[in-house]
Amino acid sequence: HLCCSRVALTPARVTGSASVRHERRTRTTRRRVSTPKASMTDSQTVLHGLELDEERFVGLLRNLIGEVEHLQNTGVGSAYVPQEDLAIKHCLEVLAPHRKENGGPLEIEHVTYTEGRGNLIIKYPGTGTAEDVLSFVGSHLDVVPANPDAWDVDPFSLTVDGDKLFGRGTTDCLGHVALLTTLFSQLAELKPALKTSLTCVFIASEEASGPGIGVDGLVAEGRLTHCKPGPVVWVDCADSQPCIGTAGAITWHLTANGHRFHSGLPHKGINAIELAMEATSRIQEKFYASFPPCEKEAEYKFITSSTMKPTQVKCAPGGLNQIPPDATVSGDIRLTPFYDVDALKACIEAEVAAINADIEALPTRGPCSKYVIQPPGGGDPIVGNIKLVWGDHLLTGIACDLTSPAFRLMCDAIEEVKGKAEPYSLTGSLPLVHEMQAEGFDIQLIGFGSMAVYHADNEYCSLSDMKDAAKILSRLIAKFG
């Protein structure tokens, strides 16, 4: 298996994705075969001819973007706590005529763990066994905040400019919500006879912390267990190509403690900023020596290797004529999925301990810079030190199973519609997918917005890309039968 090799490195450890299950993949591989056009069933012919209902899609997307001001998310207890049920309301309006209780084929569950913050599960039942399942999960109902002053258009309403549809969430991820809602409503109208049961899940609380509110709550409660025998297509990426790998994201804070003194007498102080800079530099050197580029990253077409870098600096308040007594450098680590997060933490923590054990081994800045001060009258020396604290933000990377038939069939469908399938990996991070893969789900990643405007001002998606997306997904469904 491409995701299962384990290669010992010193001092770090390269690992694969431990959750790939050979037995399930082998069983599924025997069942999944691509269907030549000459032998297509009536239902497969219908699916190959499916065209996105533009009016329905744009109308729904307009309603969803109209709720965006109340879908912004910076985390529970923060300035922006979304009310995802506002988006679900519009999806349910589109799907209402096709619900089972209204004579349609769709089975729909609105699952809520926190008031106003629901998830939506949509099922199109097939005639096969419990093994015959295909799921579309991950399209989320919350968005990152938008500053209207930085936009050329109103981020809280849909602006149509030719092929471009502007508004916060059009690419990430309300465009996908509108796409899949429209697609399932069209499936309910066309009623193709499928062996494979289809599930679509829209989730709450993807953009910021909210434990137990979104897909983690659904998995914990067993509401997605029926998806496990088949592939789960996570629809929350971009550029209409398979994303086969993402990186882990680990935040860190390194505080240097020095000794405040007058800047005119620098030999009597320990400059915490200089200490923090030198310590950060040494820790970075250790990181890059321990977690270098590896062959798997090239195989998975990662754009960059693992990185550790500072992104913010702050120090104790004081005058410009004072040596600062403490300074904190903060940053993040992007770790490709072939390295172990626990091994990373152990490596960095050991280096911090080594620095503190011999603080004077760090380079100084000029003849008066020092990290240990001997009091002139004797007594214990004043010794600078550093302290590492890991941040709350921890995401683990994922390497998709390239032997999965779902990956091959998804590439086939993309090639049929786009002319070429070009899988890629990047050191961006997705929440929740590693945890689901670890639970035994066959996670495959794709999305149809624009990577160029992900979380950016003037976010947009292309109508033509979404029309192609409907063709790709319907052809993928046809291939599963």
Side-chain angles (χ1 to χ4, degrees):
H1 273 262
L2 291 174
C3 297
C4 288
S5 64
R6 292 183 179 270
V7 181
L9 292 184
T10 304
R13 188 159 54 94
V14 174
T15 67
S17 179
S19 64
V20 176
R21 301 193 175 182
H22 177 74
E23 294 81 6
R24 178 164 59 86
R25 299 291 180 269
T26 302
R27 181 185 68 237
T28 309
T29 302
R30 286 197 296 267
R31 183 167 59 86
R32 302 302 186 194
V33 294
S34 187
T35 305
K37 285 187 177 180
S39 61
M40 282 199 300
T41 65
D42 290 344
S43 293
Q44 288 170 325
T45 301
V46 167
L47 288 167
H48 272 252
L50 188 148
E51 298 276 350
L52 182 68
D53 186 323
E54 291 183 35
E55 183 177 352
R56 187 179 305 173
F57 167 76
V58 174
L60 175 56
L61 185 58
R62 188 181 303 279
N63 288 335
L64 293 174
I65 301 303
E67 303 286 3
V68 157
E69 196 165 2
H70 305 291
L71 300 176
Q72 299 174 99
N73 191 2
T74 53
V76 174
S78 68
Y80 296 104
V81 178
Q83 295 292 294
E84 287 92 343
D85 280 355
L86 295 173
I88 288 177
K89 172 187 68 175
H90 296 293
C91 296
L92 290 175
E93 288 174 355
V94 172
L95 298 170
H98 312 296
R99 298 182 70 143
K100 190 173 182 179
E101 52 266 41
N102 294 331
L106 299 182
E107 301 172 1
I108 298 175
E109 293 180 90
H110 182 187
V111 183
T112 302
Y113 301 109
T114 297
E115 185 177 358
R117 306 199 60 188
N119 306 269
L120 195 63
I121 303 174
I122 309 163
K123 298 178 183 177
Y124 183 91
T127 60
T129 70
E131 299 291 313
D132 298 296
V133 291
L134 173 63
S135 305
F136 302 98
V137 182
S139 296
H140 52 91
L141 302 156
D142 58 334
V143 302
V144 295
N147 175 11
D149 294 337
W151 283 56
D152 297 329
V153 296
D154 181 3
F156 304 135
S157 63
L158 187 70
T159 298
V160 179
D161 184 3
D163 188 48
K164 292 182 177 180
L165 308 176
F166 288 90
R168 173 59 85 219
T170 47
T171 272
D172 182 31
C173 192
L174 297 176
H176 293 133
V177 172
L179 167 69
L180 288 165
T181 301
T182 304
L183 177 62
F184 269 69
S185 71
Q186 291 185 248
L187 290 174
E189 291 169 347
L190 294 169
K191 295 184 175 63
L194 299 177
K195 181 181 180 182
T196 300
S197 293
L198 307 176
T199 297
C200 176
V201 183
F202 300 143
I203 61 173
S205 193
E206 192 270 354
E207 291 292 5
S209 62
I213 294 174
V215 72
D216 52 344
L218 296 173
V219 171
E221 201 175 46
R223 289 184 178 269
L224 301 186
T225 302
H226 69 281
C227 302
K228 195 175 289 188
V232 172
V233 181
W234 191 271
V235 188
D236 184 23
C237 295
D239 290 351
S240 303
Q241 295 291 344
C243 178
I244 56 177
T246 66
I250 305 102
T251 55
W252 54 271
H253 308 279
L254 185 73
T255 298
N257 296 297
H259 181 65
R260 191 195 300 270
F261 216 83
H262 194 290
S263 179
L265 301 168
H267 61 294
K268 292 182 176 290
I270 297 175
N271 192 319
I273 293 178
E274 292 182 355
L275 175 55
M277 292 171 68
E278 294 297 343
T280 298
S281 178
R282 178 165 148 182
I283 291 169
Q284 283 183 286
E285 288 178 6
K286 182 66 173 180
F287 173 85
Y288 287 111
S290 304
F291 303 91
C294 65
E295 290 183 4
K296 283 286 185 182
E297 292 164 2
E299 184 178 331
Y300 270 77
K301 302 181 180 180
F302 269 90
I303 297 170
T304 65
S305 58
S306 299
T307 58
M308 177 183 188
K309 60 275 181 194
T311 56
Q312 293 182 4
V313 180
K314 65 178 181 180
C315 70
L320 293 178
N321 61 349
Q322 289 179 299
I323 302 291
D326 61 77
T328 298
V329 178
S330 300
D332 81 345
I333 294 170
R334 297 294 170 140
L335 193 71
T336 61
F338 315 111
Y339 288 109
D340 183 74
V341 173
D342 289 337
L344 159 77
K345 287 187 171 183
C347 174
I348 301 304
E349 289 168 5
E351 189 66 11
V352 169
I355 291 172
N356 280 328
D358 188 9
I359 200 76
E360 290 184 292
L362 287 177
T364 54
R365 304 290 181 95
C368 299
S369 177
K370 57 184 68 177
Y371 305 128
V372 176
I373 297 174
Q374 300 293 342
D380 293 335
I382 301 171
V383 182
N385 65 82
I386 59 172
K387 180 181 179 182
L388 175 72
V389 175
W390 297 108
D392 294 333
H393 185 72
L394 170 61
L395 300 175
T396 305
I398 182 176
C400 294
D401 180 8
L402 303 188
T403 68
S404 166
F407 172 69
R408 175 176 56 81
L409 295 179
M410 188 162 64
C411 288
D412 290 345
I414 292 169
E415 188 171 347
E416 290 172 12
V417 176
K418 291 289 192 180
K420 195 176 196 180
E422 298 179 298
Y424 69 95
S425 298
L426 76 170
T427 51
S429 301
L430 285 173
L432 313 172
V433 291
H434 174 269
E435 289 75 10
M436 289 188 68
Q437 191 185 59
E439 288 281 337
F441 291 88
D442 174 15
I443 302 291
Q444 301 293 328
L445 310 175
I446 196 170
F448 305 98
S450 173
M451 186 69 72
V453 292
Y454 229 82
H455 289 193
D457 299 332
N458 300 314
E459 178 184 350
Y460 69 88
C461 68
S462 297
L463 179 58
S464 57
D465 284 340
M466 291 299 177
K467 290 169 66 176
D468 283 348
K471 293 179 182 178
I472 290 168
L473 296 179
S474 60
R475 286 173 183 240
L476 178 61
I477 293 167
K479 291 177 188 300
F480 277 82

